[in-house]
Amino acid sequence: MAKKHIMQMIDDLDGRIIEDGTTLTFSLEGRAYEIDLSHANAARLRDAFHPFISAARVAGSTAATVRRTPRGRAIPTRDLTDVRTWAHENGYAINERGRISSAVLEAYDAAH
């Protein structure tokens, strides 16, 4: 048994099959839309938008990206080498590498 899959573009406005259409993207009030149209209906849409587009100003085409620190990771506000040196000089048992306990960090912050 053979199967044949046919993909056709349908005009979203009038429901007709279009051989050579276009997909238009537009946005209104912060919401983006996409519509498949024949060339004739695409021209109608462009003509309808024309008076508004000609009176409008261009806004950014992409949303601004907000950079955030990754969850669970604080940005270090102190030099950990200084913390380790201070901890050794003040009698705290601390490894040369790895995590520094919150008790040592609190004591360091209180001293500085």
Side-chain angles (χ1 to χ4, degrees):
M1 175 191 291
K3 290 184 180 182
K4 184 176 184 179
H5 293 276
I6 299 172
M7 184 182 296
Q8 295 178 320
M9 184 179 262
I10 308 291
D11 187 303
D12 290 329
L13 190 61
D14 61 22
R16 293 183 187 169
I17 296 171
I18 46 181
E19 298 297 324
D20 187 25
T22 186
T23 301
L24 293 178
T25 306
F26 62 96
S27 64
L28 182 65
E29 296 180 344
R31 190 164 201 168
Y33 298 90
E34 230 179 47
I35 190 167
D36 298 325
L37 296 173
S38 66
H39 288 297
N41 282 336
R44 285 180 51 210
L45 180 63
R46 288 183 183 104
D47 290 344
F49 273 121
H50 180 73
F52 301 99
I53 292 172
S54 62
R57 60 189 165 276
V58 176
S61 61
T62 59
T65 303
V66 178
R67 291 190 169 227
R68 296 184 180 138
T69 58
R71 279 188 167 170
R73 290 185 172 213
I75 297 172
T77 56
R78 51 184 97 76
D79 184 349
L80 298 182
T81 303
D82 290 343
V83 173
R84 289 181 198 287
T85 302
W86 177 88
H88 284 297
E89 291 172 355
N90 289 280
Y92 289 92
I94 188 170
N95 292 329
E96 292 301 317
R97 295 178 12 177
R99 187 175 175 274
I100 300 173
S101 73
S102 60
V104 172
L105 293 174
E106 288 172 8
Y108 176 83
D109 290 340
H112 293 90

